[in-house]
Amino acid sequence: MNKRKISLILLAIFIISIGLTLVNSLLEDTNTSENKTGTLTIANQTIHYENLGKCVEVIDGNTIQVYGIGKVQLIQVKTPQINESGFSDAKRFVEERCLGKNVYLDIDNEQPKDKYGRTLAIVYTDSEDINKELIDRNLAKISYFEPSEFKKGEI
């Protein structure tokens, strides 16, 4: 083998190992089965959450994939669909705030899952209520349904 082929093989191995390291760090579950509930403080409000996990994918503006939990539907918000104006803005907003980070879920106790099996929750980061911010920034509209522990207009 000549030096060029060896260099290319070594470069390929290096790139693959970096890629695997990045994927592993993104998927690494730092959660334990104990103590997934708790509280955090956002804007001088104490928030109670029932679960937490790392956001590994943003599907659209109001649906994320959380490692160890599955798909999570942000409750009480409706963002534009893929073929509608504003879709990219809403999705990008959620990606910037959630992707690769721990998210805290206040799961709806009245209806914890929707008919598609997605967990229904208000999603928080360390510093933001994502559901509320989507509404406040006009990236989503309020979409209330019953039964729900969250009362109309609570977001």
Side-chain angles (χ1 to χ4, degrees):
M1 267 193 202
N2 63 29
K3 290 181 183 182
R4 182 178 167 100
K5 284 184 182 179
I6 292 172
S7 295
L8 288 174
I9 290 170
L10 290 174
L11 180 61
I13 291 170
F14 177 72
I15 290 172
I16 289 169
S17 66
I18 287 183
L20 290 173
T21 301
L22 289 173
V23 168
N24 186 43
S25 70
L26 185 63
L27 293 179
E28 182 179 294
D29 186 13
T30 58
N31 304 324
T32 61
S33 58
E34 317 145 14
N35 199 18
K36 283 192 177 183
T37 64
T39 60
L40 68 147
T41 303
I42 297 175
N44 295 323
Q45 286 189 308
T46 300
I47 307 299
H48 300 277
Y49 60 90
E50 285 95 12
N51 216 330
L52 69 99
K54 188 176 284 190
C55 176
V56 294
E57 180 183 7
V58 175
I59 296 162
D60 58 30
N62 62 343
T63 311
I64 61 175
Q65 181 82 19
V66 178
Y67 184 72
I69 296 167
K71 287 185 182 174
V72 175
Q73 181 73 29
L74 282 70
I75 197 166
Q76 289 193 353
V77 297
K78 180 175 177 17
T79 58
Q81 298 299 308
I82 194 164
N83 58 348
E84 297 175 339
S85 175
F87 172 83
S88 296
D89 293 335
K91 183 176 180 183
R92 185 172 29 258
F93 176 83
V94 176
E95 284 173 338
E96 289 170 355
R97 281 151 175 83
C98 298
L99 190 59
K101 299 175 185 165
N102 277 334
V103 292
Y104 305 87
L105 308 177
D106 185 356
I107 299 170
D108 189 337
N109 295 329
E110 295 288 321
Q111 187 176 342
K113 297 215 182 245
D114 67 6
K115 65 183 178 182
Y116 305 108
R118 298 175 295 196
T119 299
L120 299 172
I122 296 176
V123 175
Y124 301 95
T125 62
D126 289 328
S127 60
E128 285 182 296
D129 175 338
I130 300 301
N131 300 49
K132 182 177 184 329
E133 288 299 317
L134 282 165
I135 298 291
D136 289 352
R137 295 169 187 259
N138 293 318
L139 296 169
K141 295 180 181 176
I142 294 174
S143 176
Y144 181 75
F145 65 90
E146 291 186 348
S148 176
E149 107 179 60
F150 307 109
K151 303 303 174 214
K152 194 170 189 174
E154 276 190 348
I155 298 185

